[in-house]
Amino acid sequence: MSKSELVVLGQDAEPAACCSPMVREPLDAADAVDLARMFKALADPVRLRLLSLIASHEGGEACVCDLTGPFDVSQPTISHHLKVLREAGLVGSERRGTWVYYRAVPGALARLSALLAIPPAARPGTPA
Amino acid sequence: MSKSELVVLGQDAEPAACCSPMVREPLDAADAVDLARMFKALADPVRLRLLSLIASHEGGEACVCDLTGPFDVSQPTISHHLKVLREAGLVGSERRGTWVYYRAVPGALARLSALLAIPPAARPGTPA
DNA sequence: GCGTTGCATCGACATCCGTCAATACAACAG
DNA sequence: CTGTTGTATTGACGGATGTCGATGCAACGC
């Protein structure tokens, strides 16, 4: 793992590709599979808390060493959860010597947020 | 089931109770359990598509009879998924004679959307 | 009341998933 | 190279979940 896995900025350009609010039009099956995978990554309390710890951490990133303490689960479990988040595209990681740092992927969060948003001018099902 | 289960409007008042953006501060454990449950309900492609069908349906609601056709799964599976969505608080239902109508709960979606939002003036970890 | 339609529930099954102890791998210092 | 620290992976285990056919329940018309 000599190359950085930390995502390049520019992810922000991606949200529009898939996810206008779901209340506006039905999701297609392919998008749904992709999105369900991301929601599945969020569907565990420990992972939610990990993500929020990472995302809100000073400097916008957190070292695994900052993440193994606050939970009542073992280190391998934390690693496993981080892997799930990483593979879902919600976080990126970068090794700096012994230490591994994780950072949230803003574009991915924004994508999900946009999907769930209620359009301001319309309510569900109200023609926009 | 003679009383309506369709949620009363006013749910919009609730999002603020829990979910400012997770990138702003770490989630507490109790909130994480509650939110993970909702994300779990979204963590299945069929359920995502069901929710989007319901939410985008004309009139803001859909009858189960509108929902059993578009998927390659059986009617009991659709019912099961609708139950999961309902129990997660993402949809409400109302029986009208033989027909049962489902409607998305805007407040619940807005709550999740707000949780995942990236604050406009700050990026993850940037002091606001 | 009976037959029909719509929808929910039940029970079984195969698959998936969170957790852990043990272990492997990466990086570093001496 | 060895020992140490940090982190990821492995394999086992018990529990959770999506799916189905069968069935039960709700509502309706006759």
Side-chain angles (χ1 to χ4, degrees), chain A residues 43-92:
Chain A
D44 176 76
V46 174
R47 282 205 290 279
L48 262 183
R49 290 175 59 204
L50 276 172
L51 182 57
S52 75
L53 257 189
I54 291 165
S56 63
H57 208 259
E58 197 173 314
E61 63 186 9
C63 158
V64 177
C65 59
D66 296 319
L67 301 173
T68 41
F71 300 88
D72 288 336
V73 293
S74 65
Q75 177 270 321
T77 302
I78 297 293
S79 270
H80 165 76
H81 283 315
L82 290 172
K83 180 174 180 177
V84 174
L85 287 170
R86 195 173 63 239
E87 293 184 341
L90 295 167
V91 295

CSV table of all heavy atoms in Angstrom, one decimal, chain A residues 43-92:
chain,number,residue,atom,x,y,z
A,43,ALA,N,-25.8,1.4,8.0
A,43,ALA,CA,-26.9,0.8,8.7
A,43,ALA,C,-26.4,0.1,10.0
A,43,ALA,O,-27.0,-0.9,10.4
A,43,ALA,CB,-27.6,-0.2,7.8
A,44,ASP,N,-25.3,0.6,10.5
A,44,ASP,CA,-24.8,0.0,11.8
A,44,ASP,C,-24.4,1.2,12.7
A,44,ASP,O,-23.7,2.1,12.2
A,44,ASP,CB,-23.6,-0.9,11.5
A,44,ASP,CG,-23.0,-1.4,12.7
A,44,ASP,OD1,-23.5,-2.4,13.3
A,44,ASP,OD2,-21.9,-0.9,13.1
A,45,PRO,N,-24.8,1.1,13.9
A,45,PRO,CA,-24.6,2.2,14.8
A,45,PRO,C,-23.1,2.6,15.0
A,45,PRO,O,-22.7,3.7,15.0
A,45,PRO,CB,-25.2,1.8,16.2
A,45,PRO,CG,-26.1,0.7,15.8
A,45,PRO,CD,-25.6,0.1,14.6
A,46,VAL,N,-22.3,1.5,15.1
A,46,VAL,CA,-20.9,1.8,15.2
A,46,VAL,C,-20.3,2.5,14.0
A,46,VAL,O,-19.5,3.4,14.1
A,46,VAL,CB,-20.1,0.4,15.5
A,46,VAL,CG1,-18.6,0.7,15.5
A,46,VAL,CG2,-20.5,-0.2,16.8
A,47,ARG,N,-20.7,2.0,12.8
A,47,ARG,CA,-20.2,2.6,11.6
A,47,ARG,C,-20.7,4.0,11.5
A,47,ARG,O,-19.9,4.9,11.0
A,47,ARG,CB,-20.6,1.8,10.4
A,47,ARG,CG,-19.7,0.6,10.2
A,47,ARG,CD,-19.7,0.1,8.8
A,47,ARG,NE,-21.0,-0.4,8.3
A,47,ARG,CZ,-21.4,-1.6,8.5
A,47,ARG,NH1,-20.7,-2.5,9.2
A,47,ARG,NH2,-22.5,-2.0,8.1
A,48,LEU,N,-21.9,4.3,11.9
A,48,LEU,CA,-22.4,5.7,11.8
A,48,LEU,C,-21.5,6.6,12.7
A,48,LEU,O,-21.2,7.7,12.3
A,48,LEU,CB,-23.8,5.8,12.3
A,48,LEU,CG,-24.9,5.8,11.2
A,48,LEU,CD1,-26.3,5.9,11.9
A,48,LEU,CD2,-24.7,6.9,10.3
A,49,ARG,N,-21.3,6.1,13.9
A,49,ARG,CA,-20.5,6.9,14.8
A,49,ARG,C,-19.1,7.0,14.3
A,49,ARG,O,-18.4,8.1,14.5
A,49,ARG,CB,-20.6,6.2,16.2
A,49,ARG,CG,-21.9,6.4,16.8
A,49,ARG,CD,-22.0,5.6,18.2
A,49,ARG,NE,-21.0,6.1,19.1
A,49,ARG,CZ,-20.5,5.4,20.1
A,49,ARG,NH1,-20.9,4.1,20.3
A,49,ARG,NH2,-19.7,5.9,21.0
A,50,LEU,N,-18.5,6.0,13.8
A,50,LEU,CA,-17.2,6.1,13.2
A,50,LEU,C,-17.1,7.2,12.1
A,50,LEU,O,-16.2,8.0,12.1
A,50,LEU,CB,-16.8,4.8,12.6
A,50,LEU,CG,-16.2,3.7,13.5
A,50,LEU,CD1,-16.0,2.4,12.7
A,50,LEU,CD2,-14.8,4.2,14.0
A,51,LEU,N,-18.1,7.1,11.2
A,51,LEU,CA,-18.1,8.1,10.2
A,51,LEU,C,-18.2,9.5,10.7
A,51,LEU,O,-17.5,10.5,10.2
A,51,LEU,CB,-19.3,7.8,9.2
A,51,LEU,CG,-19.4,8.7,8.0
A,51,LEU,CD1,-18.1,8.7,7.1
A,51,LEU,CD2,-20.5,8.3,7.1
A,52,SER,N,-19.1,9.7,11.7
A,52,SER,CA,-19.3,11.0,12.2
A,52,SER,C,-18.0,11.5,13.0
A,52,SER,O,-17.6,12.7,12.9
A,52,SER,CB,-20.5,11.1,13.1
A,52,SER,OG,-20.3,10.5,14.4
A,53,LEU,N,-17.4,10.6,13.6
A,53,LEU,CA,-16.1,10.9,14.3
A,53,LEU,C,-15.0,11.3,13.3
A,53,LEU,O,-14.3,12.3,13.5
A,53,LEU,CB,-15.6,9.7,15.1
A,53,LEU,CG,-15.7,9.6,16.6
A,53,LEU,CD1,-14.9,8.5,17.2
A,53,LEU,CD2,-15.3,10.9,17.3
A,54,ILE,N,-14.9,10.6,12.2
A,54,ILE,CA,-14.0,10.9,11.2
A,54,ILE,C,-14.3,12.2,10.6
A,54,ILE,O,-13.4,13.1,10.4
A,54,ILE,CB,-14.0,9.8,10.1
A,54,ILE,CG1,-13.4,8.5,10.6
A,54,ILE,CG2,-13.2,10.2,8.9
A,54,ILE,CD1,-13.7,7.3,9.8
A,55,ALA,N,-15.5,12.4,10.2
A,55,ALA,CA,-15.9,13.6,9.4
A,55,ALA,C,-15.8,14.9,10.2
A,55,ALA,O,-15.6,15.9,9.7
A,55,ALA,CB,-17.3,13.4,8.9
A,56,SER,N,-16.1,14.7,11.5
A,56,SER,CA,-16.1,15.9,12.4
A,56,SER,C,-14.7,16.2,13.0
A,56,SER,O,-14.5,17.1,13.8
A,56,SER,CB,-17.1,15.8,13.4
A,56,SER,OG,-16.9,14.7,14.3
A,57,HIS,N,-13.8,15.3,12.8
A,57,HIS,CA,-12.5,15.4,13.5
A,57,HIS,C,-11.7,16.6,13.0
A,57,HIS,O,-11.8,17.0,11.8
A,57,HIS,CB,-11.7,14.1,13.2
A,57,HIS,CG,-10.7,13.8,14.3
A,57,HIS,ND1,-9.4,14.0,14.2
A,57,HIS,CD2,-10.9,13.2,15.5
A,57,HIS,CE1,-8.8,13.6,15.4
A,57,HIS,NE2,-9.7,13.1,16.2
A,58,GLU,N,-11.0,17.1,13.9
A,58,GLU,CA,-10.1,18.3,13.6
A,58,GLU,C,-9.2,17.9,12.4
A,58,GLU,O,-8.6,16.9,12.3
A,58,GLU,CB,-9.3,18.6,14.8
A,58,GLU,CG,-8.7,20.0,14.7
A,58,GLU,CD,-8.0,20.3,16.0
A,58,GLU,OE1,-8.6,20.1,17.1
A,58,GLU,OE2,-6.8,20.8,16.0
A,59,GLY,N,-9.2,18.8,11.4
A,59,GLY,CA,-8.4,18.5,10.2
A,59,GLY,C,-9.1,17.7,9.2
A,59,GLY,O,-8.6,17.5,8.1
A,60,GLY,N,-10.3,17.3,9.5
A,60,GLY,CA,-11.1,16.6,8.5
A,60,GLY,C,-10.7,15.1,8.4
A,60,GLY,O,-11.2,14.4,7.5
A,61,GLU,N,-9.9,14.7,9.2
A,61,GLU,CA,-9.4,13.3,9.1
A,61,GLU,C,-9.1,12.7,10.5
A,61,GLU,O,-8.8,13.5,11.4
A,61,GLU,CB,-8.2,13.1,8.2
A,61,GLU,CG,-7.0,13.9,8.7
A,61,GLU,CD,-5.8,13.9,7.8
A,61,GLU,OE1,-6.0,13.5,6.6
A,61,GLU,OE2,-4.8,14.3,8.2
A,62,ALA,N,-9.2,11.5,10.6
A,62,ALA,CA,-8.8,10.8,11.9
A,62,ALA,C,-8.0,9.6,11.7
A,62,ALA,O,-8.1,8.9,10.7
A,62,ALA,CB,-10.1,10.5,12.7
A,63,CYS,N,-7.0,9.5,12.6
A,63,CYS,CA,-6.2,8.3,12.6
A,63,CYS,C,-6.9,7.1,13.2
A,63,CYS,O,-7.7,7.3,14.1
A,63,CYS,CB,-4.9,8.7,13.4
A,63,CYS,SG,-4.0,7.3,14.0
A,64,VAL,N,-6.7,5.9,12.7
A,64,VAL,CA,-7.3,4.7,13.3
A,64,VAL,C,-7.1,4.7,14.8
A,64,VAL,O,-8.0,4.3,15.6
A,64,VAL,CB,-6.8,3.4,12.7
A,64,VAL,CG1,-7.5,2.2,13.4
A,64,VAL,CG2,-7.1,3.4,11.2
A,65,CYS,N,-5.9,5.2,15.2
A,65,CYS,CA,-5.6,5.2,16.7
A,65,CYS,C,-6.6,6.1,17.5
A,65,CYS,O,-6.8,5.9,18.6
A,65,CYS,CB,-4.2,5.7,16.9
A,65,CYS,SG,-3.9,7.3,16.3
A,66,ASP,N,-7.2,7.1,16.8
A,66,ASP,CA,-8.2,7.9,17.4
A,66,ASP,C,-9.6,7.2,17.5
A,66,ASP,O,-10.5,7.7,18.2
A,66,ASP,CB,-8.5,9.2,16.6
A,66,ASP,CG,-7.2,10.1,16.6
A,66,ASP,OD1,-6.5,10.2,17.6
A,66,ASP,OD2,-6.9,10.7,15.5
A,67,LEU,N,-9.7,6.1,16.7
A,67,LEU,CA,-11.0,5.5,16.5
A,67,LEU,C,-11.3,4.3,17.3
A,67,LEU,O,-12.4,3.8,17.5
A,67,LEU,CB,-11.2,5.2,15.0
A,67,LEU,CG,-11.2,6.4,14.1
A,67,LEU,CD1,-11.2,6.0,12.6
A,67,LEU,CD2,-12.3,7.4,14.4
A,68,THR,N,-10.1,3.7,17.8
A,68,THR,CA,-10.3,2.4,18.5
A,68,THR,C,-10.7,2.6,19.9
A,68,THR,O,-11.2,1.6,20.5
A,68,THR,CB,-9.0,1.6,18.4
A,68,THR,OG1,-7.9,2.4,18.6
A,68,THR,CG2,-8.9,0.9,17.0
A,69,GLY,N,-10.5,3.7,20.5
A,69,GLY,CA,-10.8,3.9,21.9
A,69,GLY,C,-12.3,4.1,22.3
A,69,GLY,O,-12.7,3.5,23.2
A,70,PRO,N,-13.0,5.0,21.5
A,70,PRO,CA,-14.4,5.4,22.0
A,70,PRO,C,-15.4,4.3,21.9
A,70,PRO,O,-16.6,4.6,22.2
A,70,PRO,CB,-14.7,6.6,21.1
A,70,PRO,CG,-13.4,7.0,20.5
A,70,PRO,CD,-12.6,5.7,20.4
A,71,PHE,N,-15.1,3.1,21.4
A,71,PHE,CA,-16.2,2.1,21.2
A,71,PHE,C,-16.0,0.9,22.0
A,71,PHE,O,-14.8,0.6,22.4
A,71,PHE,CB,-16.2,1.7,19.7
A,71,PHE,CG,-16.5,2.9,18.8
A,71,PHE,CD1,-15.5,3.6,18.3
A,71,PHE,CD2,-17.8,3.2,18.4
A,71,PHE,CE1,-15.7,4.7,17.5
A,71,PHE,CE2,-18.1,4.3,17.6
A,71,PHE,CZ,-17.0,5.0,17.1
A,72,ASP,N,-17.1,0.2,22.3
A,72,ASP,CA,-17.0,-1.0,23.1
A,72,ASP,C,-16.7,-2.3,22.3
A,72,ASP,O,-17.3,-3.3,22.6
A,72,ASP,CB,-18.3,-1.2,23.9
A,72,ASP,CG,-18.4,-0.2,25.0
A,72,ASP,OD1,-17.3,0.3,25.5
A,72,ASP,OD2,-19.5,0.1,25.4
A,73,VAL,N,-16.1,-2.1,21.2
A,73,VAL,CA,-15.8,-3.3,20.3
A,73,VAL,C,-14.3,-3.3,20.1
A,73,VAL,O,-13.5,-2.4,20.3
A,73,VAL,CB,-16.5,-3.2,19.0
A,73,VAL,CG1,-18.0,-3.3,19.2
A,73,VAL,CG2,-16.1,-1.9,18.2
A,74,SER,N,-13.8,-4.5,19.6
A,74,SER,CA,-12.4,-4.7,19.5
A,74,SER,C,-11.8,-4.0,18.3
A,74,SER,O,-12.5,-3.6,17.4
A,74,SER,CB,-12.2,-6.2,19.4
A,74,SER,OG,-12.7,-6.7,18.1
A,75,GLN,N,-10.5,-4.0,18.3
A,75,GLN,CA,-9.8,-3.4,17.2
A,75,GLN,C,-10.1,-4.0,15.9
A,75,GLN,O,-10.3,-3.3,14.9
A,75,GLN,CB,-8.3,-3.4,17.5
A,75,GLN,CG,-7.4,-2.9,16.4
A,75,GLN,CD,-7.0,-3.9,15.4
A,75,GLN,OE1,-6.7,-5.1,15.8
A,75,GLN,NE2,-7.0,-3.6,14.1
A,76,PRO,N,-10.1,-5.3,15.8
A,76,PRO,CA,-10.4,-6.0,14.5
A,76,PRO,C,-11.8,-5.6,14.0
A,76,PRO,O,-12.1,-5.4,12.8
A,76,PRO,CB,-10.4,-7.5,14.8
A,76,PRO,CG,-9.5,-7.6,15.9
A,76,PRO,CD,-9.7,-6.4,16.8
A,77,THR,N,-12.7,-5.4,14.9
A,77,THR,CA,-14.1,-5.0,14.5
A,77,THR,C,-14.1,-3.5,14.0
A,77,THR,O,-14.7,-3.3,13.0
A,77,THR,CB,-15.0,-5.0,15.7
A,77,THR,OG1,-15.0,-6.4,16.2
A,77,THR,CG2,-16.5,-4.7,15.3
A,78,ILE,N,-13.3,-2.7,14.6
A,78,ILE,CA,-13.2,-1.3,14.1
A,78,ILE,C,-12.6,-1.4,12.7
A,78,ILE,O,-13.1,-0.7,11.7
A,78,ILE,CB,-12.3,-0.4,15.0
A,78,ILE,CG1,-13.0,-0.3,16.3
A,78,ILE,CG2,-12.0,0.9,14.3
A,78,ILE,CD1,-14.2,0.5,16.3
A,79,SER,N,-11.5,-2.1,12.5
A,79,SER,CA,-10.9,-2.3,11.1
A,79,SER,C,-11.9,-2.8,10.1
A,79,SER,O,-12.0,-2.3,9.0
A,79,SER,CB,-9.7,-3.2,11.2
A,79,SER,OG,-8.5,-2.5,11.5
A,80,HIS,N,-12.7,-3.8,10.5
A,80,HIS,CA,-13.7,-4.3,9.6
A,80,HIS,C,-14.7,-3.2,9.2
A,80,HIS,O,-15.0,-3.1,8.1
A,80,HIS,CB,-14.4,-5.5,10.3
A,80,HIS,CG,-15.7,-5.9,9.7
A,80,HIS,ND1,-15.7,-6.6,8.5
A,80,HIS,CD2,-17.0,-5.6,10.0
A,80,HIS,CE1,-17.0,-6.8,8.2
A,80,HIS,NE2,-17.8,-6.2,9.0
A,81,HIS,N,-15.2,-2.5,10.2
A,81,HIS,CA,-16.1,-1.4,9.9
A,81,HIS,C,-15.6,-0.4,9.0
A,81,HIS,O,-16.2,0.1,8.1
A,81,HIS,CB,-16.6,-0.8,11.2
A,81,HIS,CG,-17.6,-1.6,12.0
A,81,HIS,ND1,-18.7,-2.3,11.4
A,81,HIS,CD2,-17.7,-1.9,13.3
A,81,HIS,CE1,-19.4,-2.9,12.3
A,81,HIS,NE2,-18.8,-2.7,13.5
A,82,LEU,N,-14.3,0.0,9.3
A,82,LEU,CA,-13.7,1.0,8.4
A,82,LEU,C,-13.6,0.5,7.0
A,82,LEU,O,-13.7,1.2,6.0
A,82,LEU,CB,-12.3,1.3,9.0
A,82,LEU,CG,-12.3,2.1,10.3
A,82,LEU,CD1,-10.9,2.2,10.8
A,82,LEU,CD2,-12.9,3.5,10.0
A,83,LYS,N,-13.3,-0.8,6.9
A,83,LYS,CA,-13.2,-1.4,5.5
A,83,LYS,C,-14.6,-1.3,4.8
A,83,LYS,O,-14.6,-1.0,3.6
A,83,LYS,CB,-12.8,-2.9,5.6
A,83,LYS,CG,-12.7,-3.6,4.3
A,83,LYS,CD,-12.1,-5.0,4.5
A,83,LYS,CE,-12.0,-5.7,3.1
A,83,LYS,NZ,-11.4,-7.0,3.2
A,84,VAL,N,-15.6,-1.6,5.5
A,84,VAL,CA,-17.0,-1.5,5.0
A,84,VAL,C,-17.2,-0.1,4.5
A,84,VAL,O,-17.7,0.1,3.4
A,84,VAL,CB,-18.0,-2.0,6.0
A,84,VAL,CG1,-19.4,-1.7,5.4
A,84,VAL,CG2,-17.9,-3.4,6.3
A,85,LEU,N,-16.9,0.9,5.3
A,85,LEU,CA,-17.1,2.3,4.9
A,85,LEU,C,-16.3,2.6,3.7
A,85,LEU,O,-16.7,3.3,2.8
A,85,LEU,CB,-16.8,3.2,6.1
A,85,LEU,CG,-17.7,3.2,7.3
A,85,LEU,CD1,-17.1,4.0,8.4
A,85,LEU,CD2,-19.1,3.8,6.9
A,86,ARG,N,-15.1,2.1,3.7
A,86,ARG,CA,-14.1,2.5,2.6
A,86,ARG,C,-14.7,1.9,1.3
A,86,ARG,O,-14.7,2.5,0.3
A,86,ARG,CB,-12.8,1.9,2.9
A,86,ARG,CG,-11.6,2.4,2.1
A,86,ARG,CD,-10.3,2.0,2.6
A,86,ARG,NE,-10.1,0.5,2.6
A,86,ARG,CZ,-9.9,-0.2,3.7
A,86,ARG,NH1,-9.7,0.3,4.8
A,86,ARG,NH2,-9.7,-1.5,3.5
A,87,GLU,N,-15.0,0.6,1.4
A,87,GLU,CA,-15.5,-0.1,0.1
A,87,GLU,C,-16.8,0.5,-0.3
A,87,GLU,O,-17.2,0.3,-1.5
A,87,GLU,CB,-15.6,-1.6,0.4
A,87,GLU,CG,-14.2,-2.2,0.6
A,87,GLU,CD,-14.2,-3.7,0.8
A,87,GLU,OE1,-15.3,-4.3,1.1
A,87,GLU,OE2,-13.1,-4.3,0.5
A,88,ALA,N,-17.6,1.1,0.5
A,88,ALA,CA,-18.8,1.7,0.1
A,88,ALA,C,-18.6,3.1,-0.5
A,88,ALA,O,-19.5,3.8,-0.9
A,88,ALA,CB,-19.8,1.8,1.3
A,89,GLY,N,-17.3,3.5,-0.4
A,89,GLY,CA,-17.0,4.8,-1.0
A,89,GLY,C,-17.3,6.0,-0.1
A,89,GLY,O,-17.3,7.2,-0.5
A,90,LEU,N,-17.5,5.7,1.2
A,90,LEU,CA,-17.9,6.8,2.1
A,90,LEU,C,-16.7,7.5,2.8
A,90,LEU,O,-16.7,8.6,3.3
A,90,LEU,CB,-18.9,6.3,3.2
A,90,LEU,CG,-20.2,5.9,2.6
A,90,LEU,CD1,-21.0,5.1,3.6
A,90,LEU,CD2,-21.0,7.2,2.2
A,91,VAL,N,-15.6,6.7,2.9
A,91,VAL,CA,-14.3,7.2,3.4
A,91,VAL,C,-13.2,6.8,2.5
A,91,VAL,O,-13.2,5.8,1.8
A,91,VAL,CB,-14.1,6.7,4.9
A,91,VAL,CG1,-15.1,7.3,5.8
A,91,VAL,CG2,-13.9,5.2,4.9
A,92,GLY,N,-12.1,7.6,2.7
A,92,GLY,CA,-10.9,7.2,2.0
A,92,GLY,C,-9.8,7.1,3.1
A,92,GLY,O,-10.0,7.6,4.2
